[in-house]
Amino acid sequence: MSEGTMHQPAQRDRQDHQRAKRLHRVLVCAAAVPVMVIAAGCSSDSGSGGSAGKDTTGVGATTSADATAAPTVQAAAYKKLPEPCAVLSKKTLTDLVPEGAKSGKEGSSTDTASRGSCSWTSLDNNGVKGSQFRWLNVSLLRFDSSQTQGEGDKLAEAYYTKQVQEAQSVTGAKNTKSEPVSGAGDQATAVRYDLKKKEGAFKQQTVVARVENVVVTIDYNGAGLAGDKTPDADTLTKAAEKAVREAVAAVSSANGSGGGGGDAGTPSASASPSASPSKSAAKASPSASSDKKS
């Protein structure tokens, strides 16, 4: 037997051994596959006792949140404002600002449905006897209801309170007095005080009223200049209270009987109480409330 012939069985043995090893590996891998599948199947069911029905994708959580109804916000009663320079009658303007009843100046506003103001200036010059000065400002601010900020009337109530507090804490004010005002919406307060300025001694009246979701602020002051007598504070206060009642009635009238239904969930541009039309308009007067704390 040749040398080559002697090597053939050995080679075959080696080849058979290699094939056996490969077959063993294949069988091992094949056996491992169902084990992995079974393990995966078990893991998907494991924990079902504590987290059954959980949706790890987040879809289930969204569905659960949607199932909880959001709290309902009551729609605001009034959805518009009257023309600010037309809220007072001709007679009232003649009584309050006799020399300026026709000179109403409307304040600028980017949203006239939510805010507005108008001011009048009167100077009755009596020559060497002096002169009587009067200044009147009406401001209107409306609040809408929204899911994020709440109901319009509650927002208006908070702003009303803030306006009254500011009127009661003016820098340099003397003899400050406050009293409730009847017949002017849901809430109304008159604040009056004396204010000494370089032009003279001024009698200031600020009357704030809330009707539903609208706040009306009347700023009215008067002074006797160049030696003329100082006006009577009681007379000025009564005139300002009459004006606020008319303005409140104008707001209700502009929205029809019972008011108009506001759109709940639509926040107004004026929902921020920090923006006060009465303050911006008041700066036009030498006796305006620019002395108020900001």
Side-chain angles (χ1 to χ4, degrees):
M1 183 178 294
S2 64
E3 184 178 358
T5 303
M6 293 174 62
H7 288 171
Q8 287 178 358
Q11 292 176 351
R12 282 196 299 271
D13 290 341
R14 286 195 299 270
Q15 291 173 354
D16 291 341
H17 180 68
Q18 291 175 352
R19 281 196 296 270
K21 290 176 65 177
R22 286 197 296 271
L23 178 60
H24 177 72
R25 285 197 300 269
V26 170
L27 291 175
V28 170
C29 291
V33 170
V35 174
M36 294 170 62
V37 172
I38 293 172
C42 292
S43 64
S44 65
D45 290 336
S46 65
S48 60
S51 58
K54 283 190 177 179
D55 188 344
T56 57
T57 63
V59 175
T62 302
T63 303
S64 176
D66 291 342
T68 304
T72 302
V73 176
Q74 184 176 355
Y78 296 146
K79 63 179 180 179
K80 62 181 179 179
L81 296 174
E83 292 292 331
C85 290
V87 297
L88 301 180
S89 67
K90 181 178 179 181
K91 182 180 184 308
T92 297
L93 289 173
T94 301
D95 291 342
L96 271 67
V97 282
E99 301 301 318
K102 298 180 180 180
S103 62
K105 183 178 180 181
E106 186 171 350
S108 60
S109 174
T110 57
D111 184 4
T112 55
S114 296
R115 65 181 65 202
S117 65
C118 190
S119 61
W120 296 260
T121 301
S122 174
L123 182 63
D124 184 9
N125 193 339
N126 297 312
V128 295
K129 296 182 179 180
S131 58
Q132 285 292 319
F133 174 83
R134 299 289 186 274
W135 181 81
L136 171 67
N137 184 77
V138 177
S139 70
L140 310 168
L141 191 61
R142 184 183 66 85
F143 294 83
D144 275 337
S145 296
S146 73
Q147 290 289 348
T148 56
Q149 295 182 326
E151 297 179 358
D153 61 338
K154 298 300 182 183
L155 298 172
E157 185 175 5
Y159 182 68
Y160 160 84
T161 301
K162 180 182 177 182
Q163 286 285 85
V164 172
Q165 290 173 346
E166 288 185 354
Q168 293 170 333
S169 58
V170 174
T171 302
K174 303 293 184 181
N175 303 318
T176 302
K177 296 180 180 179
S178 301
E179 61 184 21
V181 179
S182 61
D186 300 296
Q187 297 172 282
T189 301
V191 182
R192 74 184 196 188
Y193 52 85
D194 300 334
L195 195 63
K196 184 71 175 179
K197 302 176 74 71
K198 63 180 180 179
E199 296 91 351
F202 287 83
K203 299 290 184 178
Q204 170 71 34
Q205 282 65 225
T206 298
V207 187
V208 187
R210 179 186 69 85
V211 53
E212 297 287 356
N213 57 308
V214 176
V215 176
V216 178
T217 304
I218 300 290
D219 285 302
Y220 183 51
N221 60 47
L225 306 180
D228 205 347
K229 65 179 181 179
T230 301
D232 179 65
D234 289 336
T235 301
L236 296 182
T237 300
K238 289 180 181 178
E241 291 177 355
K242 177 184 178 181
V244 83
R245 291 188 185 99
E246 283 192 18
V248 166
V251 171
S252 298
S253 178
N255 288 274
S257 179
D263 295 326
T266 305
S268 168
S270 64
S272 173
S274 60
S276 171
S278 63
K279 282 188 177 182
S280 59
K283 293 179 181 178
S285 167
S287 59
S289 55
S290 57
D291 291 324
K292 291 182 180 181
K293 294 180 181 178
S294 56

